[in-house]
Structures are given as C-alpha cells and as structure tokens.
C-alpha cells in the first residue's frame, strides 16, 4: 500500500493487486489490534533493532525515517501517541484506522485496487520486466512491478510466500526462511498447567552451553506448549538461530529481578514467620500469582500443605533460588505460521539498497517482509515495511516514467 501510494504520488499510474477481498488483513491485527506503527528512534537505533540485515535499510531510513512515517500518517488524519520504549500507536488504539487511512489515500490518488487478484508470474521482454500475470492467467503490461507480498507467517492473512516463488523465477536467491519472533516450546510440560498466565516485570535470560545469549525484561506468557509474550518473542530469534533450532538451550526466568537471592530469602523468611501457623501455600500467598505458587512449591519439592513453621532452611533456599532462576529447556520455536515475523527471504545482496531495485531483472522492485530483513517487536518491522515501500514506490515510478507505461 505504501509502495503504490508513493508511486502514484510520484506521478506514476499505479495499480495494486491484493489476493484477499480486503486490504491490510495483517496490518489490522498488528500490535494486538492497536498497530505499533513505528518506533520513534533515530536511524542507528532502528537498525540495531532489526538484527536481520537492518543495515541494508540504512539508505531507506535516511530517506524515510520514523518521523516521516509519523508525518505521513498524521497527514492522513491518524492522530498518534508515543508510548514506553518510543513505540508509536494510533491515539485511538485501532489498527483499522491505519488501514482505512491508507485506503483513503489510494482512492484519492486513483490507484486502481484489484481485490482477489493473485499475482502468479512476472512477464519479461528483452531481458527487462514487462508486466505480471495472475492466477487466472490474465496479463497486465507494466514497466515496473513491486513485489510486496509479505513473509510466510500468519498465512491466513494472505502472506503465504508467493513473492518468494516470483522472486526466484526472476533469478533471486531466497535465504532459508525461519521463524523470527516466535513463541518457544519447552521440554517441561508444567507451563501448560498455568497456560494463559502472564507475568509482568520479570527477566528472562537465554543460555546456550553455559553462555548467555541475551536477557530481556518485561512481560511473558505461559501457554499449553511452553512460553510466549514480548520478552520470549524477542529472545526467540537468537534461540532459534542456534543449531537444531535452539533445542536444549535454556531459558532462565527471574521472577524477582529487583531482589537478590539473599533478599528473596529474607522476604520468604518474613512471610513464613508472619504466617507460621498457616500451611506453606497460604503463608506465601503474596509472593506470586496464585496459580503459580503451588507449582513453584512442587518444583522446589515442598508440599503445599506443609506448615510454614516446618519449612527447612534448605527448602526455603531452594524456593528462593527458583524465584530468581527458574529453568526451562527449549524444544524449539513454534512453526513459521505462528511467528510474528519471517526471517530469511529475498537475498538483500541482490537488491540495490538505494532504490529497492532488483539487480537481476530491470523493472523489478521489492518492499517489506518479503526481504531478508527482520526486527524485534516495537514497531521496527512496520517501519522497515514503510521505508522500503516508500523507496521502492518512488524508484519504480521514476523508472516507469522514463518510458510511458504504468507501474
Ligand atoms: C500478529 C502480528 C502482530 C504484529 N504486530 C506488529 C506491530 O505491532 N508492529 C510492527 O512493526 N510489526 C508487527 N508485525 C509485523 C508486521 O505486521 C509485518 O512485518 C508487516 O505487515 C509486513 O508488511 P508487508 O506489507 O511486507 O506484508 P503483509 O502485511 O503480509 O502484506 C502482504 C500483502 O500481500 C498480499 N499478497 C500475498 N501474496 C499475494 C499475491 N500473490 N498476489 C496479490 N497479493 C498478495 C497479502 O494478502 C497481504 O495483504 C506483526 C505481525 C503479526 C503476525
């Protein structure tokens, strides 16, 4: 949508093919329906938060930084607000507003939107791109084509990976796809017992062969297969990049990151003394979310019904240690379809970063998640899509208008 809008704004006659019967199905579910539209960070920060080839977008971010995204959407009437971590959202917390604003702009620019039209092939003549065909075999002549068909996660939204096949047919190499921001399955089955429970202000460290891979602080969620939530998604990229998709690596959960183990132990002593006549699970009620307490006592080998005043020092220390470092063994990431973002994709070495033009086929351009670029949560992936879309749209328009047919 951004590419088509920009191409039209630069004077090209643009049309947009969308395989669904509506635009922006994925966009409408971003940010839990609130759409974390960008991150108001300087270019260097944006790149750092796109560990999958963020530097490829240096030129695109210089031309279309986060401020340009914010100006663009404000200009379309979407009031914005900036939250913790410089994450930008529509003030109304409604992703549909973002989709509607893009639709209005497409309409105002007379971009022809073809719904239920699924691109199936690229046409070439004389070593240059000459148009595209759809799944019905209908052809459209075009001087330039921008592929922006997304990655392969959440395929029900329409991103089923068609663009990879089209790019490959044009001679591009596809870097193997893997889930980037994905929930993680654990070998332990106990997370299922507390599925749905989310923990706030906790710290999670991923460890492989005794070496820490990364530490995140924030919110996580237990699920029927393991763990999910923002801090798990952020760590999942590094974990699933390990051999065997990270199987055997460890996640160490610190449920009391503000306290040392000794302070945790003191807190336990206080609670157990105050409730000395109660049983353990009652005496420690204030310590953890209720659903988690019996589980933690079990993992520490302490019967939940044991009277508080009979809990030994060793038992108490085991509990304090688990509060600070509860280990979970990674089985692997959930499948690509459940990942928020697809890592891998069209090899960026074969694309000109200043124009998003294919180095293989003149007239072909790329934008968005189809590229081998991926980032953390926080608005970075959409910023990558807006900026690459803007550059692809303006460059394709310039290229197309050097002759007289459309984009
Ligand atoms: C649940 C979820 C939440 C997310 N939240 C955020 C967030 O808050 N902030 C953030 O920065 N990122 C977020 N992301 C990531 C972000 O949504 C994507 O990186 C971004 O949408 C990629 O944009 P795109 O235009 O490249 O691809 P898409 O948004 O996937 O759009 C591609 C479009 O192409 C269409 N298409 C595919 N093949 C064809 C074809 N052959 N012919 C015609 N049309 C076709 C698809 O139907 C689709 O509409 C989230 C992702 C998910 C799954």
């Amino acid at each position: 949508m951004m590419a088509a809008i920009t191409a039209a704004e630069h004077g090209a006659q643009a049309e947009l093919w969308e395989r669904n019967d509506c635009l922006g199905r994925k966009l409408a579910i971003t940010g839990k329906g609130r759409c974390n539209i960008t991150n108001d960070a300087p270019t260097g920060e944006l790149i750092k938060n796109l560990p999958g080839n963020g530097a490829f977008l240096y030129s695109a971010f210089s031309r279309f930084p986060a401020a340009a995204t914010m100006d663009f959407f404000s200009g379309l009437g979407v009031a914005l607000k900036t939250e913790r971590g410089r994450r930008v959202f529509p003030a109304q917390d409604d992703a549909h507003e973002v989709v509607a604003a893009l639709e209005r702009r497409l309409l105002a620019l007379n971009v022809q939107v073809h719904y239920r039209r699924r691109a199936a092939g690229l046409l070439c003549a004389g070593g240059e791109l000459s148009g595209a065909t759809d799944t019905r075999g209908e052809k459209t002549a075009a001087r330039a084509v921008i592929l922006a068909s997304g990655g392969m996660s959440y395929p029900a939204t329409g991103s089923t990976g068609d663009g990879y096949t089209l790019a490959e047919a044009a001679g591009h190499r596809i870097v193997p796809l893997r889930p980037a921001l994905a929930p993680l399955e654990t070998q332990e089955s106990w997370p299922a017992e507390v599925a749905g429970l989310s923990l706030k202000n906790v710290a999670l460290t991923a460890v492989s062969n005794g070496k820490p891979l990364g530490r995140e602080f924030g919110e996580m969620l237990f699920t029927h297969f393991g763990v999910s939530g923002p801090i798990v998604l952020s760590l999942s990229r590094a974990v699933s990049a390990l051999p065997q998709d990270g199987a055997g690596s460890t996640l160490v959960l610190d449920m009391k990151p503000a306290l040392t183990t000794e302070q945790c132990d003191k807190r336990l002593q206080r609670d157990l003394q105050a409730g000395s006549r109660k049983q353990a699970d009652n005496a420690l009620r204030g310590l953890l979310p209720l659903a988690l307490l019996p589980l933690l006592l079990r993992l520490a080998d302490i019967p939940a019904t044991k009277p508080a005043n009979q809990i030994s020092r060793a038992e108490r220390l085991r509990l304090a240690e688990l509060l600070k470092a509860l280990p979970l063994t990674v089985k692997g990431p959930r499948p690509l379809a459940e990942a928020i973002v697809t890592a891998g994709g069209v090899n960026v070495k074969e694309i000109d970063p200043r124009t998003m033009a294919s180095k293989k086929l003149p007239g072909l351009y790329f934008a968005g998640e189809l590229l081998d670029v991926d980032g953390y949560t926080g608005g970075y992936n959409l910023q990558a899509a807006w900026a690459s879309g803007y550059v692809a749209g303006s460059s394709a328009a310039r290229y197309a208008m050097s002759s007289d047919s459309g984009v």
Side-chain angles (χ1 to χ4, degrees):
M1 288 184 274
M2 177 60 92
I5 286 170
T6 312
E9 282 176 344
H10 284 72
Q13 187 197 325
E15 62 179 64
L16 190 161
W17 294 8
E18 169 53 64
R19 58 174 291 188
N20 290 331
D21 55 8
C22 64
L23 290 170
R25 197 167 270 174
K26 183 173 278 179
L27 190 54
I29 60 162
T30 53
K32 292 190 180 149
R34 299 203 300 133
C35 186
N36 182 185
I37 206 166
T38 186
N39 191 293
D40 188 15
T43 293
E45 282 296 306
L46 295 179
I47 290 174
K48 265 195 218 149
N49 283 285
L50 287 151
N53 290 318
F56 169 75
L57 293 180
Y58 183 84
S59 166
F61 287 151
S62 308
R63 283 180 61 198
F64 204 83
T69 301
M70 292 165 74
D71 285 348
F72 175 81
F73 283 102
S74 305
L76 296 185
V78 182
L80 300 173
K81 61 177 172 182
T82 305
E83 295 191 356
R84 190 174 46 81
R86 294 189 285 210
R87 295 173 309 150
V88 182
F89 292 87
Q92 301 295 325
D93 286 325
D94 187 1
H96 290 100
E97 204 194 334
V98 178
V99 179
L102 290 164
E103 278 172 339
R104 280 198 306 275
R105 187 68 186 141
L106 287 163
L107 191 70
L109 289 162
N110 285 321
V111 174
Q112 260 186 57
V113 180
H114 297 252
Y115 295 97
R116 292 187 214 88
R117 190 160 187 202
R118 184 173 182 181
L122 298 171
L123 303 171
C124 296
E128 284 186 12
L129 190 135
S130 61
T133 55
D134 63 20
T135 40
R136 288 185 290 260
E138 248 175 73
K139 295 179 181 161
T140 295
R143 184 87 173 91
V145 168
I146 303 166
L147 289 180
S149 50
M152 245 179 110
S153 46
Y154 280 62
T157 61
S159 344
T160 49
D162 290 3
Y164 303 122
T165 317
L166 296 171
E168 241 173 351
H172 282 272
R173 205 170 66 80
I174 307 302
V175 176
L177 309 179
R178 59 186 179 85
L181 297 172
L184 294 172
E185 293 185 16
T186 58
Q187 277 171 19
E188 294 81 0
S189 55
W190 62 255
E193 295 173 37
V194 280
L197 175 71
S198 89
L199 298 178
K200 291 205 169 79
N201 303 322
V202 293
L204 195 65
T205 309
V207 181
S208 168
N209 290 325
K211 278 193 219 124
L213 290 173
R215 179 178 156 95
E216 294 286 332
F217 176 84
E219 190 178 344
M220 67 169 280
L221 174 76
F222 292 105
T223 68
H224 63 280
F225 52 75
V227 285
S228 186
I231 58 175
V232 172
L233 298 180
S234 294
L235 286 173
S236 70
R237 186 178 199 283
V239 170
S240 49
L242 293 168
Q244 280 125 38
D245 295 337
S249 58
T250 312
L251 297 173
V252 183
L253 171 61
D254 182 349
M255 286 181 272
K256 298 285 174 196
L259 305 180
T260 62
T261 310
E262 292 68 37
Q263 288 170 328
C264 247
D265 184 43
K266 290 235 166 66
R267 162 86 198 268
L268 287 175
Q269 282 182 45
R270 267 203 319 273
D271 286 3
L272 291 169
Q273 265 160 22
S276 64
R277 287 162 188 280
K278 298 180 183 161
Q279 56 180 46
D281 59 354
N282 270 332
L284 298 173
R285 277 180 95 86
L287 191 66
L288 283 176
L290 271 190
L292 204 54
L293 188 56
L295 187 90
L296 206 73
L297 287 168
R298 195 177 80 217
L299 294 174
D301 238 347
I302 305 171
T305 52
K306 190 165 184 175
N309 57 12
Q310 282 176 28
I311 289 180
S312 69
R313 179 169 184 272
E315 284 175 325
R316 207 186 62 227
L317 285 177
R318 276 208 303 275
L319 194 58
E321 262 157 34
L322 282 181
L323 280 170
K324 286 296 294 172
L326 179 59
L328 279 158
T329 318
V330 174
K331 216 192 231 176
R334 292 291 282 173
L336 190 50
E338 287 176 41
I340 301 292
V341 175
T342 306
V346 180
N347 187 351
V348 294
K349 292 200 182 90
E350 298 165 355
I351 299 169
D352 183 341
R354 292 161 308 171
T355 57
M356 296 296 142
S358 161
K359 292 182 185 170
K360 301 275 178 188
L361 181 61
L364 180 62
Y365 294 79
F366 296 96
E369 203 177 314
L370 177 65
L371 297 166
D372 179 18
V373 172
D374 63 275
Y376 294 128
T377 57
Y380 304 104
N381 289 294
L382 280 175
Q383 177 58 27
W386 308 131
S388 57
Y390 177 87
V391 172
S394 55
S395 322
R398 212 167 301 123
Y399 178 86
M401 289 177 4
S402 60
S403 83
D404 55 4
S405 26
V407 171

